[in-house]
Amino acid sequence: MFDYIFSLFSNDMGIDLGTANTLVYVKGQGIVLKEPSVVAINRDTREPVAFGAEAKRMLGKTPANIYAVRPLRNGVIADFDVTQEMIKYFIRKVHNRRSLLHPRVVIGIPSGITEVERRAVKEAADQAGARYVELIEEPKAAAIGAGMPISEPTGNMIVDIGGGTTEVAVISLGGMVVSKSLDVAGDELDESIMQYFRRKYNLLIGETTAEDVKIKIGSAFPLVDEQSLEVKGRDQVSGLPKTITITSEEVRQALSEPLKLIVDVVKATLEETPAELSADLVDRGIVLAGGGSLLRGIPELLSRETELPVTRASDPLTCVVMGCGRYLEELDNIKRSRSRPSYL
Ligand code: ADP
Ligand code: MG
């Protein structure tokens, strides 16, 4: 009971530690932080100088002695110290210092990370003052956040297309029955657009421009109204600024290779799914989460390729953090009722 009363006053939080974005949900307040998972580092001292949105603003425009990194870019922790500093920064930013109570923290992590990496994440949350830390695999959090009935004895398939990784899982009775992680997702789509411009037009464009093209006119499936867009970059030969107009058909062609890899990992997961659960998927279909799933035509493409119904979660960018939040609330229910829902 005391624990329950305490929990009303503490800033218990759910964190989506994404390869591109970190989101934090605080119980009773909702999503309070949404920042890029970016750290700016001083080259000389090797110390972080900025985190999140502030660090991202420095990307590409930094003085020579500062560079920006995305420590989780490929779904694995590239640099333990930097990742830990970033986690600590986000938790401290949100944690109400006036509150004497240490928060409980539930963190959604890419499912591909190793035991050592898990420990590093936990340790960072401990050091930031967490009273209790629990890690949850991102596909599971995404499925909870998308409102899928994952504790029931039926098959639930979630495909989370993030920045650095695509995670696919079939969940039943609260557990991941089959899961796969692929290091091709939104970033790789941007990369393919950059390559296309370079090869076809000798035009060099930055990552941010490529992402902009993807979001504005990118698609995975023919559009009813095909579009075009003016894109500015630097001519590889003359070195001068140049503008070209690109069509949505061309962008789709540029995206076809990475999209095929994403389709393939979904198919491979289906092939490994036990028959009973596959049968459920025929009715329930596949649910998409993650910012990458916002690319137009992805549901149509996956549906054509798998012959299953495919739907996007209502807010793909927040599924994981909302799932972590729901999980936190379940922790309270357990305390009070002493009965664990089967997915905990
Ligand atoms: P992560 O969980 O790995 O941090 P997110 O779920 O936050 O990743 O998704 C980030 C990715 O989503 C980026 O590659 C970004 O370009 C992409 N994205 C965001 N909005 C859109 C959109 N409207 N269309 C296509 N891609 C999008
Ligand atoms: Mg994610």
Side-chain angles (χ1 to χ4, degrees):
M1 187 63 191
F2 276 126
D3 245 39
Y4 170 60
I5 290 170
F6 275 149
S7 75
L8 291 177
F9 296 102
S10 75
N11 291 334
D12 286 347
M13 55 182 93
I15 302 177
D16 167 9
L17 190 61
T19 65
N21 297 297
T22 297
L23 283 76
V24 182
Y25 169 99
V26 172
K27 212 167 61 184
Q29 296 177 34
I31 298 171
V32 296
L33 181 144
K34 201 178 208 170
E35 296 204 37
S37 310
V38 178
V39 183
I41 295 170
N42 181 314
R43 208 179 286 280
D44 306 323
T45 62
R46 296 184 164 271
E47 294 290 325
V49 291
F51 299 90
E54 196 191 343
K56 190 170 184 185
R57 273 196 295 275
M58 296 177 155
L59 256 178
K61 295 175 187 151
T62 53
N65 67 331
I66 294 174
Y67 64 100
V69 292
R70 280 175 48 197
L72 286 154
R73 183 160 204 145
N74 300 312
V76 293
I77 296 179
D79 183 321
F80 279 72
D81 293 339
V82 169
T83 306
Q84 288 193 321
E85 290 304 318
M86 185 179 79
I87 295 169
K88 283 191 256 180
Y89 172 83
F90 287 135
I91 293 179
R92 286 176 183 150
K93 186 164 180 186
V94 164
H95 181 47
N96 177 358
R97 280 167 185 284
R98 282 167 304 176
S99 158
L100 296 174
L101 296 162
H102 293 287
R104 290 179 304 179
V105 179
V106 171
I107 308 181
I109 46 159
S111 62
I113 82 173
T114 65
E115 196 47 44
V116 180
E117 291 172 320
R118 294 173 69 97
R119 237 176 288 142
V121 170
K122 250 185 156 152
E123 197 181 281
D126 282 337
Q127 287 171 8
R131 152 167 64 107
Y132 171 87
V133 187
E134 188 151 324
L135 304 185
I136 165 170
E137 276 109 354
E138 184 192 297
K140 208 160 127 178
I144 297 172
M148 298 169 82
I150 66 160
S151 49
E152 288 173 15
T154 49
N156 295 279
M157 186 175 216
I158 181 95
V159 177
D160 180 344
I161 308 174
T165 59
T166 295
E167 311 230 4
V168 188
V170 175
I171 307 173
S172 175
L173 286 170
M176 297 207 293
V177 182
V178 194
S179 73
K180 287 190 184 295
S181 177
L182 172 77
D183 62 356
V184 172
D187 295 339
E188 199 68 27
L189 300 182
D190 303 344
E191 181 61 38
S192 292
I193 291 176
M194 289 166 76
Q195 270 182 25
Y196 183 87
F197 275 95
R198 202 165 53 227
R199 289 202 192 127
K200 183 156 180 206
Y201 297 107
N202 272 321
L203 189 76
L204 301 176
I205 60 167
E207 264 176 49
T208 315
T209 305
E211 184 183 26
D212 202 46
V213 171
K214 173 182 75 177
I215 292 175
K216 288 204 177 111
I217 63 165
S219 60
F221 206 76
L223 300 171
V224 180
D225 289 312
E226 297 290 351
Q227 295 159 300
S228 60
L229 185 72
E230 271 193 1
V231 181
K232 297 189 184 74
R234 185 162 59 91
D235 189 289
Q236 207 174 3
V237 182
S238 70
L240 299 173
K242 183 165 106 178
T243 305
I244 64 129
T245 301
I246 190 167
T247 65
S248 48
E249 284 100 334
E250 287 177 279
V251 179
R252 195 158 56 244
Q253 188 190 331
L255 299 178
S256 62
E257 260 179 58
L259 286 175
K260 180 170 187 314
L261 296 173
I262 293 174
V263 166
D264 286 347
V265 76
V266 173
K267 283 186 178 168
T269 311
L270 286 169
E271 278 161 21
E272 286 180 27
T273 302
E276 280 301 315
L277 299 179
S278 298
D280 298 335
L281 297 180
V282 174
D283 303 321
R284 293 174 170 265
I286 301 173
V287 175
L288 306 182
S293 77
L294 288 167
L295 182 76
R296 276 174 296 175
I298 287 229
E300 291 82 352
L301 175 70
L302 281 169
S303 183
R304 185 190 69 193
E305 294 292 320
T306 60
E307 293 171 22
L308 293 173
V310 180
T311 50
R312 228 185 241 123
S314 58
D315 190 356
L317 283 161
T318 60
C319 288
V320 172
V321 79
M322 293 310 286
C324 292
R326 282 268 300 279
Y327 193 93
L328 261 179
E329 268 141 36
E330 291 297 344
L331 290 176
D332 279 342
N333 294 340
I334 301 163
K335 285 248 163 59
R336 273 174 291 171
S337 70
R338 296 190 176 277
S339 74
R340 282 174 87 83
S342 55
Y343 59 84
L344 294 183

